[in-house]
Amino acid sequence: MSISLSSLSLLPLWISMAQIQQGGPDEKEKTTALKDLLSRIDLDELMKKDEPPLDFPDTLEGFEYAFNEKGQLRHIKTGEPFVFNYREDLHRWNQKRYEALGEIITKYVYDLLEKDCNLKKIAIPVDATENEPKSFIFMSEDALTNPHKLMVLIHGSGVVRAGQWARRLIINEDLDSGTQIPFIKRAMDEGYGVIVMNPNENYIEVEKPKIHIQSSSDSSDEPAEKRERKDKISKETKKRHDFYEKYRNPQREKEMMQLYIRENGSPEEHAIYVWDHFIAQSAAENVFFVAHSYGGLAFVELMIQREADVKSKVTAVALTDSVHNVWHQEAGKTIREWMRENCCNWVSSSEPLDTSVESMLPDCPRVSAEYYSALAPGDAGGLPEPQA
């Protein structure tokens, strides 16, 4: 087993504690203090000291990657696919690099939705003030005015955002496999209006403000000796805190706080909001949903909250590896009956496409998508090719 230089820096503490434990009862207080210090030092966090800085490019070109004519992500110089283990034995750093690339790809897909698919980016809440947190969805020009057909796309949970099915498929396979773009183009070619939901964009992150503690010396009513003693304790506390922080957070990553978006603080809230403010207001006689993974759960929750309205406008729902559960979500009998008639769930299976797959829940038919999902939960799985 190898020991890093960071781990060696703790040896004096361990040796000191061993020596103290050999002493008498009067050394117990020091032993307790050292044990407390060691218990608060996270060795995983300590390993950060060996990492290069978490400073990554903010463009694909900076990463030296680009999408080729087949929509595959390739290294500009070598033509090789993306390599996760860019630095050996630095998994956390490699993961942070992967996440930084993922954020760039999210913006790249947003750009494709506007420029390649001719969708409009619509800010929500629709009545948001200038300073409050906002999200957005994408819509085709005729989404609200098309009198015949409207297609609504909902992705799964995790890091994916509007226009994506799976970030990992975009990076490791191609844009057609991991984005909703083939579905959007097919729908528009066949005369559908299109709305692309963005159910994971629930909050914005801002840097947590630093808390400035007023010095006790400002309390002029206290005796000078008491103020000096308090100041000394405060300085010693700060010194211990800084010592611990040096090990806990050597990269000095910013501490962030989340500001949730009004009426869009969860995928379920988002689905209801988009329904109320856009889909319900659309002219389309027939609304169709394609919902993947957690998107299926969000749709079922929408149906529970807006049952009569959904039944009056929605013609059919295509689910893919949906994680909804009609029992846990307490969907009523009339909803379950409607789902059996109007929904179908294509699931990971080695069976031929559209072969019936047994289900333990009495909600909607499950059929084979003729593929296995190779992705972990949170990044969503792949999808079958769009069907007519």
Side-chain angles (χ1 to χ4, degrees):
M1 174 182 172
S2 62
I3 301 177
S4 71
L5 292 175
S6 302
S7 302
L8 288 174
S9 66
L10 286 178
L11 282 177
L13 290 173
W14 290 325
I15 293 169
S16 176
M17 193 170 80
Q19 290 171 341
I20 289 172
Q21 285 176 329
Q22 293 173 3
D26 57 332
E27 301 291 344
K28 283 185 177 179
E29 186 177 345
K30 291 182 181 178
T31 304
T32 302
L34 278 172
K35 281 183 176 179
D36 177 63
L37 176 62
L38 287 170
S39 69
R40 288 186 287 117
I41 293 176
D42 186 332
L43 291 179
D44 288 335
E45 295 285 347
L46 184 63
M47 296 301 288
K48 293 179 185 176
K49 285 175 65 66
D50 294 335
E51 287 181 347
L54 299 175
D55 185 18
F56 303 107
D58 56 7
T59 63
L60 278 178
E61 293 77 14
F63 271 95
E64 297 188 328
Y65 280 96
F67 286 100
N68 62 22
E69 65 281 357
K70 296 180 180 178
Q72 301 166 324
L73 188 68
R74 294 292 183 263
H75 195 275
I76 293 171
K77 295 178 181 177
T78 67
E80 294 295 315
F82 176 76
V83 176
F84 179 85
N85 289 316
Y86 188 76
R87 291 177 182 261
E88 292 295 330
D89 302 324
L90 287 175
H91 179 81
R92 180 179 175 276
W93 187 90
N94 289 328
Q95 179 63 32
K96 292 289 185 181
R97 173 175 173 266
Y98 174 82
E99 290 168 6
L101 176 64
E103 290 303 307
I104 294 169
I105 285 174
T106 291
K107 294 174 183 176
Y108 184 87
V109 172
Y110 288 160
D111 198 46
L112 289 178
L113 293 181
E114 291 189 278
K115 293 180 179 177
D116 202 30
C117 299
N118 297 314
L119 301 185
K120 297 185 300 180
K121 187 177 181 180
I122 308 296
I124 54 174
V126 293
D127 60 347
T129 62
E130 184 178 350
N131 296 322
E132 76 170 293
K134 304 176 190 66
S135 180
F136 49 86
I137 60 172
F138 290 90
M139 299 195 314
S140 63
E141 197 72 42
D142 66 339
L144 303 184
T145 59
N146 187 316
H148 306 296
K149 300 183 291 186
L150 174 65
M151 178 77 73
V152 182
L153 302 176
I154 318 178
H155 59 62
S157 61
V159 297
V160 289
R161 294 294 185 269
Q164 300 180 48
W165 293 127
R167 174 186 288 181
R168 208 175 302 183
L169 284 177
I170 296 171
I171 292 174
N172 296 327
E173 298 295 332
D174 54 45
L175 289 167
D176 280 356
S177 299
T179 73
Q180 297 173 348
I181 290 173
F183 287 73
I184 295 167
K185 288 184 174 180
R186 174 79 171 268
M188 294 176 76
D189 286 345
E190 295 188 10
Y192 290 79
V194 174
I195 291 180
V196 178
M197 287 196 188
N198 202 10
N200 292 337
E201 193 76 15
N202 308 128
Y203 54 82
I204 63 170
E205 284 193 328
V206 296
E207 189 172 357
K208 189 178 290 186
K210 291 181 172 61
I211 301 174
H212 299 286
I213 302 174
Q214 189 176 14
S215 173
S216 59
S217 59
D218 295 341
S219 305
S220 54
D221 294 340
E222 290 184 328
E225 184 180 345
K226 188 175 182 181
R227 288 201 306 270
E228 288 176 7
R229 189 165 62 251
K230 275 190 171 183
D231 285 345
K232 184 179 179 181
I233 292 171
S234 177
K235 287 175 183 176
E236 288 176 351
T237 301
K238 184 178 185 304
K239 187 176 179 181
R240 286 196 299 270
H241 176 268
D242 290 346
F243 172 77
Y244 174 56
E245 280 295 304
K246 186 177 80 171
Y247 289 99
R248 188 191 73 83
N249 197 9
Q251 293 281 10
R252 295 295 177 192
E253 294 175 59
K254 294 177 182 178
E255 289 194 64
M256 308 298 285
M257 60 185 293
Q258 298 170 347
L259 300 179
Y260 279 84
I261 297 162
R262 175 165 52 90
E263 298 182 78
N264 287 269
S266 69
E268 295 91 328
E269 278 190 8
H270 177 79
I272 292 169
Y273 186 88
V274 175
W275 176 272
D276 289 345
H277 291 82
F278 298 96
I279 303 169
Q281 310 301 324
S282 69
E285 291 183 6
N286 300 288
V287 177
F288 301 84
F289 276 79
V290 178
H292 178 56
S293 186
Y294 201 88
L297 185 149
F299 173 81
V300 172
E301 185 61 28
L302 167 65
M303 184 145 198
I304 292 170
Q305 300 299 326
R306 302 287 188 271
E307 181 177 353
D309 292 342
V310 170
K311 285 180 176 179
S312 69
K313 280 190 80 76
V314 177
T315 301
V317 181
L319 304 171
T320 59
D321 276 333
S322 175
V323 298
H324 71 275
N325 187 303
V326 291
W327 296 133
H328 291 165
Q329 294 181 257
E330 299 181 353
K333 181 182 178 182
T334 54
I335 290 176
R336 298 197 303 272
E337 289 173 347
W338 185 90
M339 289 181 66
R340 278 197 290 271
E341 295 296 322
N342 298 277
C343 300
C344 185
N345 189 10
W346 278 266
V347 298
S348 303
S349 172
S350 59
E351 295 295 323
L353 183 65
D354 291 334
T355 301
S356 180
V357 176
E358 186 177 355
S359 173
M360 296 178 65
L361 295 176
D363 50 10
C364 63
R366 285 160 45 101
V367 298
S368 171
E370 201 176 14
Y371 77 104
Y372 279 114
S373 176
L375 300 178
D379 200 354
L383 285 170
E385 289 294 319
Q387 299 296 312

